Amino acid sequence: MISKVLVYYMYQGFDSFGEVHYVSYSNYCMTSKQSELTSILVSVILLQKGGDIKFWEAECFKIDSANKKIHCRSNIGTNLDGDGEFLVDYDYLVVAVGARSNTFNTPGVVENCHFLKEVEDAQKIRRSVMDCFERASLPYLDEEERKNSLHFVVVGGGPTGVEFAAELHDFVTEDLSKLYPAIQHLVKISLVEAADHILTMFDKRITKFAEEKFVRDGINVKTGYKVVKVSKDAITMQNPATGDIAVPYGMAVWSTGIGTRPFVVEFMKQIGQGNRRVLATDEWLRVLECDGVYAVGDCATINQRRVMEDISEIFRVADKDNSGTLTVKEIQDVLDDIYVRYPQVELYLKSRQMNGIADLVRTSKGDAEKESIELNIEEFKKALSLVDSQVKNLPATAQVAAQQGQYLARCFNKMKDAEENPEGPIRIRGEGRHRFRPFRYRHLGQFAPLGGEQTAAQLPGDWISIGHSSQWLWYSVYATKQISWRTRALVISDWSRRFVFGRDSSCI
């Protein structure tokens, strides 16, 4: 029976249907003061109601997995170094701290750029936008200085960077143009992407539409440019054709990807995963080579087991009569277990438009007519040799993290009343069935808001929708994915006030 489950996390306020964890702040950067930010936040303390749950606002700076303890510190109510530190014991630990912004060690980024990760980032960006306009309105500046002050640079052409650039453009054209009509024409928004296109993870039709729309809106899309340095007044970019160029700017937002948090890096070194990018887990979300520790979200990735690693064991289990060969029927008898443990087998068959393992076996033997085919171990290896090419890492999105959290909660609920071997995943080399099926991600689609009340949607079944109808679909999904009826009502109320009165432009 489980006595203590400790969940250490860092709340990001993410949109569970969005492309990345922090996408939900992009539109609030441009529209809200403190009141609107609270519309999408829910106090974790509310989770303590109706259950044996304790919450401490503190920072974990070390995990001691050998002794099942975590080291924490809290600066609340004290300014003394070292004070406020305490230890917490656990039976099971769930690490869900997300990730930090990845600067790729680019000089000057931390000191001079804004990020899109925390609530405070959204507030700082909003104040910075207003400061740029106020600075450009000062009477002693010349035309060139005004232009530089009103040049907004967004580094990163992924969903977050694209959405932010679109929201900023709408804020400037629909609201700030009325407050600053004399300098509105000097505003320039640049979106910098190192790849050849923006939104590379989306369908090419969406990428093309987004780039063309941004050109029509006057957003300067600079693809193929890598930022190599950021100073207080200029961003240095590198392109094979032009070399290094320094571009003056007024405000820069960095949105190029995610990196591992420092204490997770130390933990990875401690458990022998120091050469990895993030924590490696198995399909049950258990951190490899670490007892009682689970990890979900951007701080971890599932280390999908390869078929070819276990091919001999799979062959032995399937060969029940010990004949040294496998018939199609013998393979089909263990196929369900193979699909559970190695989902890439099913994906491979679908990608090759095969109905089942029988098609694969007959194709590998070069005999489509003969039904009584038998494979020896080498022929079996050859038939499955390309299957592992279908193994793909899960995307670092809130959609993945939300599904992992739900899966892990179901597993813990099942484990609660188990008397022995509570986790019980029996692998292919054992006997019997899996107690818990491994985690399987179900992709529900992704959205890319492009401004002007237009959104691109890519949903399962290769269904692409771009335009105003997709924007309303995005609104409905966004609202339903809020954590409570209170936040749903507040978000819809914020949208309604914006439609009627416009965005709030105060500097509070």
Side-chain angles (χ1 to χ4, degrees), residues 29 105 108 120 184 230 271 333 346 416:
C29 289
N105 297 318
E120 292 78 9
Q184 188 270 337
V230 182
I271 61 175
D333 286 343
E346 190 171 12
K416 183 178 180 182

Side-chain angles (χ1 to χ4, degrees), residues 69 79 141 305 344 366 370 484:
K69 299 177 184 291
N79 293 319
L141 295 184
R305 194 165 186 88
Q344 62 266 38
K370 210 172 180 183
S484 68

Side-chain angles (χ1 to χ4, degrees), residues 20-125:
V20 287
H21 274 206
Y22 40 86
V23 70
S24 59
Y25 288 136
S26 297
N27 58 344
Y28 277 84
C29 289
M30 297 299 101
T31 62
S32 49
K33 298 183 294 183
Q34 185 66 31
S35 58
E36 282 83 1
L37 282 170
T38 58
S39 298
I40 60 172
L41 301 178
V42 175
S43 174
V44 179
I45 297 177
L46 295 176
L47 298 177
Q48 298 181 84
K49 294 183 178 180
D52 186 16
I53 300 173
K54 296 180 180 179
F55 168 73
W56 298 288
E57 183 177 344
E59 174 194 6
C60 170
F61 62 90
K62 181 182 178 182
I63 298 176
D64 182 1
S65 59
N67 298 307
K68 291 196 170 184
K69 299 177 184 291
I70 67 168
H71 297 249
C72 303
R73 70 166 67 97
S74 174
N75 293 324
I76 298 176
T78 178
N79 293 319
L80 301 176
D81 292 338
D83 199 5
E85 293 189 1
F86 58 96
L87 289 174
V88 180
D89 298 321
Y90 68 84
D91 296 317
Y92 294 91
L93 171 66
V94 180
V95 182
V97 296
R100 61 181 176 84
S101 298
N102 193 348
T103 66
F104 301 98
N105 297 318
T106 306
V109 171
V110 175
E111 297 82 1
N112 301 300
C113 290
H114 293 281
F115 299 97
L116 278 166
K117 287 295 290 180
E118 317 289 347
V119 173
E120 292 78 9
D121 294 333
Q123 295 171 314
K124 290 176 183 178
I125 288 172

Side-chain angles (χ1 to χ4, degrees), residues 99-255:
R100 61 181 176 84
S101 298
N102 193 348
T103 66
F104 301 98
N105 297 318
T106 306
V109 171
V110 175
E111 297 82 1
N112 301 300
C113 290
H114 293 281
F115 299 97
L116 278 166
K117 287 295 290 180
E118 317 289 347
V119 173
E120 292 78 9
D121 294 333
Q123 295 171 314
K124 290 176 183 178
I125 288 172
R126 190 172 180 283
R127 285 194 296 268
S128 183
V129 170
M130 300 308 300
D131 288 344
C132 288
F133 274 86
E134 290 295 335
R135 189 185 312 117
S137 301
L138 295 174
Y140 59 83
L141 295 184
D142 59 30
E143 190 83 349
E144 191 64 26
E145 290 173 320
R146 296 181 203 276
K147 286 183 179 179
N148 294 342
S149 182
L150 294 176
H151 185 199
F152 301 96
V153 179
V154 182
V155 183
T160 306
V162 167
E163 181 181 356
F164 177 80
E167 288 289 342
L168 178 59
H169 175 267
D170 287 353
F171 185 39
V172 170
T173 57
E174 296 173 10
D175 300 281
L176 295 184
S177 60
K178 301 172 184 177
L179 299 178
Y180 304 93
I183 58 175
Q184 188 270 337
H185 66 286
L186 300 176
V187 175
K188 181 180 180 181
I189 301 174
S190 295
L191 180 63
V192 183
E193 169 57 40
D196 294 333
H197 296 280
I198 62 174
L199 297 178
T200 54
M201 67 292 298
F202 281 78
D203 186 274
K204 291 182 179 179
R205 290 168 286 181
I206 292 178
T207 297
K208 182 180 179 182
F209 179 88
E211 291 177 345
E212 292 175 349
K213 182 183 186 301
F214 277 14
V215 170
R216 291 195 303 271
D217 291 343
I219 298 176
N220 182 27
V221 179
K222 300 181 73 66
T223 56
Y225 281 86
K226 178 184 177 182
V227 175
V228 294
K229 181 182 178 182
V230 182
S231 66
K232 183 179 179 181
D233 302 312
I235 290 181
T236 303
M237 309 177 199
Q238 196 174 74
N239 179 275
T242 62
D244 290 359
I245 56 173
V247 179
Y249 71 95
M251 185 190 80
V253 174
W254 189 268
S255 176

Side-chain angles (χ1 to χ4, degrees), residues 218-382:
I219 298 176
N220 182 27
V221 179
K222 300 181 73 66
T223 56
Y225 281 86
K226 178 184 177 182
V227 175
V228 294
K229 181 182 178 182
V230 182
S231 66
K232 183 179 179 181
D233 302 312
I235 290 181
T236 303
M237 309 177 199
Q238 196 174 74
N239 179 275
T242 62
D244 290 359
I245 56 173
V247 179
Y249 71 95
M251 185 190 80
V253 174
W254 189 268
S255 176
T256 61
I258 56 176
T260 308
R261 296 189 182 276
F263 97 94
V264 176
V265 173
E266 292 301 316
F267 177 53
M268 290 165 62
K269 292 178 181 177
Q270 178 190 137
I271 61 175
Q273 294 189 21
N275 60 337
R276 300 188 62 89
R277 185 180 60 85
V278 292
L279 281 168
T281 72
D282 62 14
E283 296 93 323
W284 290 269
L285 307 183
R286 301 174 300 186
V287 176
L288 299 180
E289 308 300 332
C290 200
D291 180 45
V293 181
Y294 296 76
V296 300
D298 292 355
C299 66
T301 186
I302 295 175
N303 192 29
Q304 178 66 55
R305 194 165 186 88
R306 310 286 172 146
V307 171
M308 299 311 292
E309 293 177 7
D310 296 333
I311 194 73
S312 298
E313 192 65 28
I314 295 172
F315 187 92
R316 185 190 67 78
V317 171
D319 186 18
K320 295 180 180 179
D321 59 2
N322 296 319
S323 65
T325 60
L326 296 181
T327 64
V328 171
K329 185 180 184 308
E330 285 178 323
I331 300 174
Q332 288 176 331
D333 286 343
V334 297
L335 191 58
D336 287 341
D337 281 336
I338 292 176
Y339 281 170
V340 169
R341 190 66 180 91
Y342 311 96
Q344 62 266 38
V345 175
E346 190 171 12
L347 290 173
Y348 181 78
L349 295 177
K350 288 181 179 179
S351 68
R352 294 299 180 95
Q353 297 182 337
M354 296 178 180
N355 294 324
I357 200 75
D359 287 350
L360 178 62
V361 170
R362 286 194 291 269
T363 301
S364 68
K365 290 287 287 187
D367 187 351
E369 302 296 331
K370 210 172 180 183
E371 290 295 333
S372 56
I373 297 174
E374 294 188 1
L375 298 181
N376 59 33
I377 181 65
E378 294 303 322
E379 290 170 332
F380 188 57
K381 288 180 179 179
K382 181 180 178 182

